[in-house]
Amino acid sequence: MPSSGTGRIAVIGGGPGGLYAAALLKRLDPGREITVWERNAPDDTFGFGVVLSDETLGGIEHADPVVYRALSDAFVRWDTIDVVHRGGTRTSDGHGFAALGRRTLLRILHERCASLGVRLRFRTEAPPAAELAAHHDLVIAADGVHSATREAHARHFRPTVTHHRNRYIWLAADFAFDAFRFEIAETEYGVMQLHAYPFARPSPDHHPATRPFGPPRESGASTVIVEMREEVWRAAGLDTCDTARSAELCAKVFAEALGGRPLRSNKSSWLTFATVTNAHWSHGNTVLIGDAAHTAHFSIGSGTKLAVEDALALAACVEEQPDLPTALAAYEAERRPVVLSTQRAAAASLRWFEELPQYVDQPPLRFAFNLLTRSRRVTHDNLRLRDPGFTEAVEEEFGCPPGTPPMFTPLRLRGLELRNRVVVSPMDMYSAADGLPGDFHLVHLGARALGGAGLVMTEMVCVSPEARITPGCAGLWTDAQAEAWTRITRFVHDAAPGTAIGVQLGHSGRKGSTRLMWEGIDQPLEDGNWPVSAASPLPYAHGVSQIPQELDRAGMDTVRDRFAEAARRAARCGFDLLELHCAHGYLLSGFLSPLTNLRTDAYGGSLENRLRFPLEVFDAVRAVWPEDRPMTVRISATDWAQGGTSDEDAVAAARAFAAHGADAIDVSTGQVVPEERPEYGRSYQTPYADRIRNALDVPVIAVGAISSWDDVNSLLLAGRADLCALARPHLYDPHWTLHAAAEQGYTGPGVSWPLPYRAGSRTPPTGRTDGPKPRLTLD
């Protein structure tokens, strides 16, 4: 009996994923009856070259050496990326690519399937999946981004298809580029970009003079993708061009890259990329793989890779599990985290190219580094290993002293020089009594100051009793509280010289009068509640939270004056920097967001009006805060909810605060409305800091799941941030910055080990770990 009870298998779609799944499952059990339906002819294919990673090839090698050898014979390999911009080419080596023609890949898989006894039915529409499911043990839907199977069972799979803003077209050049080439063209219509890579080299007997445009295997060939924003595409008249004319115009724009050669198409058309996700990947005995289940933007070259890896995982799970339902559940559990990670990287890359115009004025090496690290999968550290010369040149352009990682370069804000770019992010501790910080705060903040960060921030310090989030929140509305904070700032300055300490002032607004976080976050107090106020009388959680009182002019005056009084005390306490909290749905954030500000007076409606009160508070605080000490503002650059703060709103708000004297913008996101849907992931909030920094050229602090020193170095070198604020890593390791220096072998002035800790400044040795053996190995 075949594994998992899969004797008869139907595969809908003859792309790489479907064919490879069929070959693997047949090889695992020759007794299986497997049929592949493909509506096109065997030699029909769309697109040109495909790229596979070494990781994917390793899985193929262990699972099917025959396919691996055939692929290896056909592959074009190279390790260089050229970034061409404003007349200059910046080259980075050591990347390791392998590509081949899609037609060649399909031929190899056709031959392998045929040799194993898989039935290939070309030029034949597959019966509906439901019909196949009634007569087969397993139905594999590999029918692509426009999957009919997915749409027929949409109520179960629950797909989401998101179309993006750029237009692109797949073309080919009949010669082989020497490298993966990214080229930027700044035309009269706007910015256009070219992505190009070789997928076939010239054969030894090729004679260009007699066969200038011969078949790809004879003359060499490259995939060429041209991409641009919709408005650029229309301005250039490409929306009215047929395929031939589009190829001609693209060849003209990138004539130098092409050496004057033409571009050709293969039923190409201008597209917008669609990101496909599904809540479920299987329904009964039908399972989605490849683009039918998920898509990832072409700029990270993962479509075929993901489909082939899906096939590997599906075959392995069918082989390992005792029944089909368990196998399909195991397949999805294994693949979904990998796919989501890839889709996050692809989304970051996609957004980078959508926002390309904001980067074109960057210094040339920074621009190239930014492009290479756009998906966050290539980082400063692994790029330094791949191409140390290129990375050193980027560091030099950035201003790193010799031997100094970017994170340990200083930054000046007004009269304050931060010795490094690491910030201990504000974190509510909920451990104060009547607003008074105690020994816990001294130890908490003191430990992190001793840990080497350039700037240590307090939690949100509340400007009045009613401004607290919880009864455990710290404040600065009394002289006794100021004395307690002075004790802390004095310790930081004495015990950790060179470390700055900043205070974040805020007011909870409608999110106040709640329990301590670990007793029920955002839940009202069981007793002892105080009244809350906000821009509009909207409760944070309907049916749960208090309905706040809408602030009138007198109330706004009182709040403004409380902020100014707290700022005066903060200055006397010796804080080096002050941050105004205008994020996370607290009072000032509530004025900024259109979801929480429904006022009809001069403080509601347009963004200009919604900014009015936060700017009044900012001006009042700046007026009493010492001139030589910097002041920053934290904003939520998106509400992660429909109808909330837009990208344009965030940039405009940052511009307004900078015009009023903000020295840096601390760019956070969300926590404004409970129905938010954040796109969590590594460094997930940094694109918003990036957008503001490059739109305004104002210093920004990036936050949001930045967890490694490699991330910090990468964000700084790419020009996406000037400072990086880390929260949870500093809870896990108070000496995170010192350890980052030790792990990078850095001993310069950007960080200093306290004398009692100096014996621990070398990384302890670690034990050996052995990697896992290959997942699926067949004789």
Side-chain angles (χ1 to χ4, degrees), residues 405-585:
M407 65 186 293
F408 293 115
T409 57
L411 178 70
R412 177 168 291 277
L413 298 173
R414 295 204 183 212
L416 176 65
E417 182 165 281
L418 300 174
R419 66 182 178 188
N420 64 53
R421 307 297 185 98
V422 179
V423 179
V424 176
S425 195
M427 294 175 279
D428 289 317
M429 294 288 106
Y430 307 111
S431 300
D434 295 323
L436 195 71
D439 289 347
F440 176 87
H441 297 81
L442 175 67
V443 174
H444 166 67
L445 293 169
R448 279 140 192 90
L450 291 170
L455 173 63
V456 176
M457 292 297 300
T458 69
E459 62 196 270
M460 184 177 89
V461 175
C462 303
V463 299
S464 63
E466 63 276 8
R468 293 174 296 166
I469 308 166
T470 76
C473 289
L476 198 45
W477 66 81
T478 71
D479 290 339
Q481 292 162 354
E483 290 176 11
W485 283 117
T486 301
R487 176 183 177 225
I488 293 168
T489 61
R490 186 178 295 125
F491 175 86
V492 169
H493 292 144
D494 291 347
T499 296
I501 181 167
V503 61
Q504 184 189 70
L505 295 183
H507 189 300
S508 62
R510 68 176 188 158
K511 296 178 75 174
S513 192
T514 62
R515 303 175 197 176
L516 303 183
M517 179 177 65
W518 44 85
E519 294 176 353
I521 189 168
D522 296 325
Q523 297 300 305
L525 294 169
E526 294 181 354
D527 55 64
N529 285 282
W530 56 86
V532 297
S533 56
S536 297
L538 302 172
Y540 178 69
H542 288 278
V544 175
S545 306
Q546 282 189 57
I547 297 176
Q549 179 183 4
E550 180 174 296
L551 282 176
D552 57 15
R553 182 65 260 179
M556 287 190 282
D557 289 345
T558 298
V559 168
R560 180 199 62 208
D561 293 345
R562 288 296 187 102
F563 270 97
E565 290 166 9
R568 288 190 184 94
R569 288 192 175 94
R572 293 197 298 270
C573 291
F575 285 107
D576 302 296
L577 176 147
L578 185 149
E579 179 165 282
L580 186 65
H581 201 336
C582 296
H584 300 170

Side-chain angles (χ1 to χ4, degrees), residues 238-590:
L238 290 163
D239 58 325
T240 62
C241 292
D242 61 17
T243 299
R245 180 60 177 157
S246 291
E248 181 182 339
L249 290 176
C250 289
K252 183 177 180 181
V253 171
F254 295 102
E256 184 174 349
L258 299 168
R261 302 175 181 90
L263 290 168
R264 59 183 171 88
S265 69
N266 180 13
K267 303 178 183 178
S268 307
S269 60
W270 288 98
L271 306 170
T272 58
F273 189 80
T275 297
V276 174
T277 62
N278 285 275
H280 303 285
W281 292 0
S282 64
H283 171 47
N285 62 346
T286 300
V287 62
L288 305 176
I289 70 170
D291 284 354
H294 46 71
T295 59
H297 192 248
F298 60 82
S299 61
I300 67 167
S302 289
T304 302
K305 172 185 184 301
L306 288 176
V308 169
E309 290 176 352
D310 282 355
L312 279 164
L314 178 62
C317 290
V318 168
E319 179 70 9
E320 294 166 353
Q321 302 302 326
D323 55 64
L324 185 63
T326 305
L328 297 184
Y331 156 71
E332 184 168 346
E334 176 179 331
R335 289 296 294 156
R336 186 176 286 275
V338 177
V339 168
L340 288 176
S341 175
T342 302
Q343 286 186 312
R344 284 193 294 269
S349 181
L350 177 154
R351 281 194 297 267
W352 195 92
F353 283 109
E354 286 185 337
E355 301 298 332
L356 177 60
Q358 75 181 18
Y359 302 119
V360 294
D361 291 327
Q362 286 188 325
L365 287 167
R366 176 181 295 178
F367 179 86
F369 181 89
N370 196 357
L371 188 152
L372 294 175
T373 60
R374 66 195 181 279
S375 72
R376 300 190 287 274
R377 290 201 158 185
V378 176
T379 65
H380 169 260
D381 194 46
N382 59 44
L383 192 55
R384 182 171 55 84
L385 294 174
R386 298 179 190 193
D387 192 342
F390 173 81
T391 310
E392 288 170 8
V394 178
E395 292 171 346
E396 182 178 355
E397 183 185 78
F398 178 79
C400 297
T404 301
M407 65 186 293
F408 293 115
T409 57
L411 178 70
R412 177 168 291 277
L413 298 173
R414 295 204 183 212
L416 176 65
E417 182 165 281
L418 300 174
R419 66 182 178 188
N420 64 53
R421 307 297 185 98
V422 179
V423 179
V424 176
S425 195
M427 294 175 279
D428 289 317
M429 294 288 106
Y430 307 111
S431 300
D434 295 323
L436 195 71
D439 289 347
F440 176 87
H441 297 81
L442 175 67
V443 174
H444 166 67
L445 293 169
R448 279 140 192 90
L450 291 170
L455 173 63
V456 176
M457 292 297 300
T458 69
E459 62 196 270
M460 184 177 89
V461 175
C462 303
V463 299
S464 63
E466 63 276 8
R468 293 174 296 166
I469 308 166
T470 76
C473 289
L476 198 45
W477 66 81
T478 71
D479 290 339
Q481 292 162 354
E483 290 176 11
W485 283 117
T486 301
R487 176 183 177 225
I488 293 168
T489 61
R490 186 178 295 125
F491 175 86
V492 169
H493 292 144
D494 291 347
T499 296
I501 181 167
V503 61
Q504 184 189 70
L505 295 183
H507 189 300
S508 62
R510 68 176 188 158
K511 296 178 75 174
S513 192
T514 62
R515 303 175 197 176
L516 303 183
M517 179 177 65
W518 44 85
E519 294 176 353
I521 189 168
D522 296 325
Q523 297 300 305
L525 294 169
E526 294 181 354
D527 55 64
N529 285 282
W530 56 86
V532 297
S533 56
S536 297
L538 302 172
Y540 178 69
H542 288 278
V544 175
S545 306
Q546 282 189 57
I547 297 176
Q549 179 183 4
E550 180 174 296
L551 282 176
D552 57 15
R553 182 65 260 179
M556 287 190 282
D557 289 345
T558 298
V559 168
R560 180 199 62 208
D561 293 345
R562 288 296 187 102
F563 270 97
E565 290 166 9
R568 288 190 184 94
R569 288 192 175 94
R572 293 197 298 270
C573 291
F575 285 107
D576 302 296
L577 176 147
L578 185 149
E579 179 165 282
L580 186 65
H581 201 336
C582 296
H584 300 170
Y586 298 127
L587 182 68
L588 299 181
S589 170

Side-chain angles (χ1 to χ4, degrees), residues 669-731:
T669 66
Q671 302 180 52
V672 175
V673 292
E675 60 270 21
E676 67 177 4
R677 293 293 181 269
E679 298 174 5
Y680 290 119
R682 173 168 150 249
S683 305
Y684 73 104
Q685 296 181 93
T686 59
Y688 296 92
D690 183 2
R691 181 176 293 111
I692 288 171
R693 188 190 188 282
N694 286 285
L696 304 181
D697 195 28
V698 61
V700 300
I701 306 169
V703 304
I706 303 169
S707 57
S708 72
W709 50 259
D710 193 18
D711 285 341
V712 174
N713 286 331
S714 300
L715 291 168
L716 295 170
L717 272 190
R720 297 174 193 155
D722 299 275
L723 294 164
C724 291
L726 297 89
R728 288 179 177 84
H730 281 118
L731 295 180

